[in-house]
mmCIF file of all heavy atoms in Angstrom:
data_model
loop_
_atom_site.group_PDB
_atom_site.id
_atom_site.type_symbol
_atom_site.label_atom_id
_atom_site.label_comp_id
_atom_site.label_asym_id
_atom_site.label_seq_id
_atom_site.Cartn_x
_atom_site.Cartn_y
_atom_site.Cartn_z
ATOM 1 N N GLY S 225 -72.672 -121.092 -91.564
ATOM 2 C CA GLY S 225 -72.744 -120.286 -90.352
ATOM 3 C C GLY S 225 -72.684 -121.153 -89.107
ATOM 4 O O GLY S 225 -72.033 -120.804 -88.108
ATOM 5 N N ALA S 226 -73.358 -122.301 -89.162
ATOM 6 C CA ALA S 226 -73.307 -123.236 -88.033
ATOM 7 C C ALA S 226 -71.950 -123.907 -87.944
ATOM 8 O O ALA S 226 -71.416 -124.130 -86.854
ATOM 9 C CB ALA S 226 -74.409 -124.283 -88.190
ATOM 10 N N THR S 228 -68.942 -122.778 -88.975
ATOM 11 C CA THR S 228 -67.813 -121.902 -88.678
ATOM 12 C C THR S 228 -67.398 -121.968 -87.213
ATOM 13 O O THR S 228 -66.211 -121.982 -86.882
ATOM 14 C CB THR S 228 -68.152 -120.445 -89.053
ATOM 15 O OG1 THR S 228 -68.438 -120.373 -90.447
ATOM 16 C CG2 THR S 228 -66.986 -119.509 -88.736
ATOM 17 N N TYR S 229 -68.378 -122.028 -86.325
ATOM 18 C CA TYR S 229 -68.091 -122.003 -84.888
ATOM 19 C C TYR S 229 -68.316 -123.363 -84.237
ATOM 20 O O TYR S 229 -68.536 -123.457 -83.031
ATOM 21 C CB TYR S 229 -68.957 -120.924 -84.217
ATOM 22 C CG TYR S 229 -68.751 -119.560 -84.825
ATOM 23 C CD1 TYR S 229 -69.604 -119.086 -85.823
ATOM 24 C CD2 TYR S 229 -67.680 -118.758 -84.432
ATOM 25 C CE1 TYR S 229 -69.394 -117.845 -86.406
ATOM 26 C CE2 TYR S 229 -67.478 -117.519 -85.005
ATOM 27 C CZ TYR S 229 -68.334 -117.075 -86.000
ATOM 28 O OH TYR S 229 -68.117 -115.842 -86.574
ATOM 29 N N ILE S 230 -68.231 -124.413 -85.068
ATOM 30 C CA ILE S 230 -68.567 -125.747 -84.581
ATOM 31 C C ILE S 230 -67.605 -126.218 -83.492
ATOM 32 O O ILE S 230 -68.006 -126.940 -82.559
ATOM 33 C CB ILE S 230 -68.581 -126.759 -85.761
ATOM 34 C CG1 ILE S 230 -69.297 -128.050 -85.360
ATOM 35 C CG2 ILE S 230 -67.190 -127.050 -86.262
ATOM 36 C CD1 ILE S 230 -70.760 -127.883 -85.188
ATOM 37 N N ALA S 231 -66.335 -125.804 -83.566
ATOM 38 C CA ALA S 231 -65.369 -126.240 -82.551
ATOM 39 C C ALA S 231 -65.759 -125.714 -81.171
ATOM 40 O O ALA S 231 -65.637 -126.423 -80.167
ATOM 41 C CB ALA S 231 -63.963 -125.765 -82.922
ATOM 42 N N PHE S 232 -66.239 -124.467 -81.137
ATOM 43 C CA PHE S 232 -66.684 -123.896 -79.863
ATOM 44 C C PHE S 232 -67.912 -124.634 -79.339
ATOM 45 O O PHE S 232 -68.029 -124.916 -78.146
ATOM 46 C CB PHE S 232 -67.009 -122.409 -80.027
ATOM 47 C CG PHE S 232 -65.814 -121.567 -80.356
ATOM 48 C CD1 PHE S 232 -65.588 -121.137 -81.653
ATOM 49 C CD2 PHE S 232 -64.907 -121.202 -79.374
ATOM 50 C CE1 PHE S 232 -64.487 -120.360 -81.966
ATOM 51 C CE2 PHE S 232 -63.804 -120.418 -79.669
ATOM 52 C CZ PHE S 232 -63.589 -120.002 -80.971
ATOM 53 N N THR S 233 -68.828 -124.964 -80.231
ATOM 54 C CA THR S 233 -70.041 -125.679 -79.823
ATOM 55 C C THR S 233 -69.681 -127.056 -79.267
ATOM 56 O O THR S 233 -70.193 -127.471 -78.214
ATOM 57 C CB THR S 233 -70.992 -125.844 -81.020
ATOM 58 O OG1 THR S 233 -71.276 -124.562 -81.575
ATOM 59 C CG2 THR S 233 -72.305 -126.492 -80.575
ATOM 60 N N GLU S 236 -67.492 -126.391 -75.836
ATOM 61 C CA GLU S 236 -68.112 -125.617 -74.759
ATOM 62 C C GLU S 236 -69.535 -126.059 -74.422
ATOM 63 O O GLU S 236 -70.003 -125.862 -73.307
ATOM 64 C CB GLU S 236 -68.122 -124.124 -75.133
ATOM 65 C CG GLU S 236 -66.748 -123.535 -75.402
ATOM 66 C CD GLU S 236 -65.845 -123.611 -74.189
ATOM 67 O OE1 GLU S 236 -66.350 -123.471 -73.055
ATOM 68 O OE2 GLU S 236 -64.631 -123.833 -74.373
ATOM 69 N N GLY S 347 -72.929 -116.305 -93.345
ATOM 70 C CA GLY S 347 -73.211 -117.185 -92.219
ATOM 71 C C GLY S 347 -72.250 -116.967 -91.073
ATOM 72 O O GLY S 347 -72.651 -116.910 -89.906
ATOM 73 N N ALA S 348 -70.948 -116.828 -91.395
ATOM 74 C CA ALA S 348 -69.948 -116.605 -90.356
ATOM 75 C C ALA S 348 -70.168 -115.272 -89.658
ATOM 76 O O ALA S 348 -70.021 -115.147 -88.436
ATOM 77 C CB ALA S 348 -68.551 -116.663 -90.965
ATOM 78 N N TRP S 349 -70.531 -114.252 -90.428
ATOM 79 C CA TRP S 349 -70.761 -112.911 -89.869
ATOM 80 C C TRP S 349 -71.951 -112.908 -88.913
ATOM 81 O O TRP S 349 -71.862 -112.412 -87.791
ATOM 82 C CB TRP S 349 -70.978 -111.917 -91.002
ATOM 83 C CG TRP S 349 -71.326 -110.533 -90.530
ATOM 84 C CD1 TRP S 349 -70.538 -109.670 -89.818
ATOM 85 C CD2 TRP S 349 -72.562 -109.854 -90.751
ATOM 86 N NE1 TRP S 349 -71.206 -108.500 -89.578
ATOM 87 C CE2 TRP S 349 -72.447 -108.579 -90.137
ATOM 88 C CE3 TRP S 349 -73.751 -110.180 -91.414
ATOM 89 C CZ2 TRP S 349 -73.482 -107.646 -90.164
ATOM 90 C CZ3 TRP S 349 -74.781 -109.253 -91.448
ATOM 91 C CH2 TRP S 349 -74.646 -108.002 -90.824
ATOM 92 N N LEU S 350 -73.068 -113.470 -89.360
ATOM 93 C CA LEU S 350 -74.259 -113.494 -88.511
ATOM 94 C C LEU S 350 -74.034 -114.365 -87.273
ATOM 95 O O LEU S 350 -74.471 -114.022 -86.166
ATOM 96 C CB LEU S 350 -75.461 -114.010 -89.305
ATOM 97 C CG LEU S 350 -76.003 -113.065 -90.379
ATOM 98 C CD1 LEU S 350 -77.152 -113.715 -91.128
ATOM 99 C CD2 LEU S 350 -76.463 -111.744 -89.761
ATOM 100 N N GLY S 351 -73.320 -115.485 -87.453
ATOM 101 C CA GLY S 351 -73.019 -116.326 -86.305
ATOM 102 C C GLY S 351 -72.146 -115.607 -85.298
ATOM 103 O O GLY S 351 -72.349 -115.716 -84.080
ATOM 104 N N GLY S 352 -71.182 -114.837 -85.791
ATOM 105 C CA GLY S 352 -70.327 -114.065 -84.906
ATOM 106 C C GLY S 352 -71.093 -112.998 -84.143
ATOM 107 O O GLY S 352 -70.822 -112.743 -82.960
ATOM 108 N N ILE S 353 -72.066 -112.386 -84.812
ATOM 109 C CA ILE S 353 -72.894 -111.377 -84.151
ATOM 110 C C ILE S 353 -73.665 -111.987 -82.983
ATOM 111 O O ILE S 353 -73.752 -111.409 -81.898
ATOM 112 C CB ILE S 353 -73.871 -110.731 -85.165
ATOM 113 C CG1 ILE S 353 -73.108 -109.817 -86.127
ATOM 114 C CG2 ILE S 353 -74.961 -109.936 -84.443
ATOM 115 C CD1 ILE S 353 -73.974 -109.202 -87.197
ATOM 116 N N THR S 354 -74.213 -113.181 -83.196
ATOM 117 C CA THR S 354 -75.001 -113.808 -82.127
ATOM 118 C C THR S 354 -74.133 -114.171 -80.935
ATOM 119 O O THR S 354 -74.559 -114.035 -79.787
ATOM 120 C CB THR S 354 -75.719 -115.072 -82.645
ATOM 121 O OG1 THR S 354 -74.750 -116.044 -83.064
ATOM 122 C CG2 THR S 354 -76.639 -114.743 -83.819
ATOM 123 N N ILE S 355 -72.906 -114.613 -81.194
ATOM 124 C CA ILE S 355 -71.998 -114.943 -80.095
ATOM 125 C C ILE S 355 -71.595 -113.674 -79.348
ATOM 126 O O ILE S 355 -71.589 -113.631 -78.112
ATOM 127 C CB ILE S 355 -70.754 -115.678 -80.618
ATOM 128 C CG1 ILE S 355 -71.140 -117.075 -81.116
ATOM 129 C CG2 ILE S 355 -69.687 -115.803 -79.524
ATOM 130 C CD1 ILE S 355 -70.001 -117.843 -81.742
ATOM 131 N N THR S 356 -71.259 -112.627 -80.092
ATOM 132 C CA THR S 356 -70.877 -111.352 -79.479
ATOM 133 C C THR S 356 -72.010 -110.788 -78.630
ATOM 134 O O THR S 356 -71.771 -110.148 -77.603
ATOM 135 C CB THR S 356 -70.488 -110.336 -80.569
ATOM 136 O OG1 THR S 356 -69.420 -110.874 -81.353
ATOM 137 C CG2 THR S 356 -70.029 -109.024 -79.952
ATOM 138 N N ALA S 357 -73.227 -111.064 -79.062
ATOM 139 C CA ALA S 357 -74.391 -110.574 -78.314
ATOM 140 C C ALA S 357 -74.644 -111.369 -77.041
ATOM 141 O O ALA S 357 -75.573 -111.066 -76.284
ATOM 142 C CB ALA S 357 -75.633 -110.618 -79.199
ATOM 143 N N GLY S 358 -73.818 -112.394 -76.796
ATOM 144 C CA GLY S 358 -73.945 -113.181 -75.573
ATOM 145 C C GLY S 358 -75.020 -114.243 -75.613
ATOM 146 O O GLY S 358 -75.501 -114.691 -74.570
ATOM 147 N N LEU S 359 -75.380 -114.686 -76.825
ATOM 148 C CA LEU S 359 -76.461 -115.659 -76.969
ATOM 149 C C LEU S 359 -75.970 -117.103 -76.873
ATOM 150 O O LEU S 359 -76.774 -118.031 -76.985
ATOM 151 C CB LEU S 359 -77.190 -115.434 -78.296
ATOM 152 C CG LEU S 359 -77.850 -114.047 -78.454
ATOM 153 C CD1 LEU S 359 -78.504 -113.920 -79.819
ATOM 154 C CD2 LEU S 359 -78.870 -113.807 -77.341
ATOM 155 N N GLY S 360 -74.680 -117.289 -76.709
ATOM 156 C CA GLY S 360 -74.152 -118.637 -76.511
ATOM 157 C C GLY S 360 -73.667 -119.290 -77.789
ATOM 158 O O GLY S 360 -73.878 -118.781 -78.897
ATOM 159 N N TYR S 361 -73.022 -120.440 -77.619
ATOM 160 C CA TYR S 361 -72.392 -121.109 -78.755
ATOM 161 C C TYR S 361 -73.344 -121.981 -79.573
ATOM 162 O O TYR S 361 -72.918 -122.599 -80.558
ATOM 163 C CB TYR S 361 -71.210 -121.942 -78.264
ATOM 164 C CG TYR S 361 -70.050 -121.089 -77.812
ATOM 165 C CD1 TYR S 361 -69.591 -121.145 -76.495
ATOM 166 C CD2 TYR S 361 -69.429 -120.215 -78.689
ATOM 167 C CE1 TYR S 361 -68.528 -120.351 -76.071
ATOM 168 C CE2 TYR S 361 -68.371 -119.418 -78.280
ATOM 169 C CZ TYR S 361 -67.922 -119.487 -76.971
ATOM 170 O OH TYR S 361 -66.877 -118.698 -76.564
ATOM 171 N N THR S 362 -74.604 -122.038 -79.202
ATOM 172 C CA THR S 362 -75.581 -122.672 -80.097
ATOM 173 C C THR S 362 -76.290 -121.626 -80.954
ATOM 174 O O THR S 362 -77.006 -121.983 -81.895
ATOM 175 C CB THR S 362 -76.647 -123.461 -79.303
ATOM 176 O OG1 THR S 362 -77.332 -122.579 -78.420
ATOM 177 C CG2 THR S 362 -76.010 -124.602 -78.520
ATOM 178 N N SER S 363 -76.071 -120.346 -80.640
ATOM 179 C CA SER S 363 -76.767 -119.291 -81.386
ATOM 180 C C SER S 363 -76.409 -119.259 -82.874
ATOM 181 O O SER S 363 -77.291 -118.969 -83.699
ATOM 182 C CB SER S 363 -76.516 -117.926 -80.741
ATOM 183 O OG SER S 363 -75.140 -117.619 -80.694
ATOM 184 N N PRO S 364 -75.146 -119.541 -83.270
ATOM 185 C CA PRO S 364 -74.885 -119.590 -84.714
ATOM 186 C C PRO S 364 -75.685 -120.678 -85.431
ATOM 187 O O PRO S 364 -76.009 -120.530 -86.612
ATOM 188 C CB PRO S 364 -73.379 -119.882 -84.787
ATOM 189 C CG PRO S 364 -72.828 -119.389 -83.500
ATOM 190 C CD PRO S 364 -73.903 -119.686 -82.496
ATOM 191 N N ILE S 365 -76.001 -121.752 -84.708
ATOM 192 C CA ILE S 365 -76.803 -122.817 -85.318
ATOM 193 C C ILE S 365 -78.222 -122.336 -85.556
ATOM 194 O O ILE S 365 -78.811 -122.587 -86.612
ATOM 195 C CB ILE S 365 -76.793 -124.073 -84.421
ATOM 196 C CG1 ILE S 365 -75.357 -124.505 -84.122
ATOM 197 C CG2 ILE S 365 -77.555 -125.217 -85.093
ATOM 198 C CD1 ILE S 365 -75.260 -125.638 -83.123
ATOM 199 N N ALA S 367 -79.069 -119.219 -85.931
ATOM 200 C CA ALA S 367 -78.972 -118.255 -87.029
ATOM 201 C C ALA S 367 -78.902 -118.974 -88.372
ATOM 202 O O ALA S 367 -79.545 -118.564 -89.353
ATOM 203 C CB ALA S 367 -77.740 -117.368 -86.837
#
Side-chain angles (χ1 to χ4, degrees):
T228 300
Y229 303 95
I230 196 70
F232 294 102
T233 304
E236 301 299 325
W349 176 65
L350 289 178
I353 288 177
T354 63
I355 291 176
T356 302
L359 299 178
Y361 289 119
T362 59
S363 59
I365 305 174

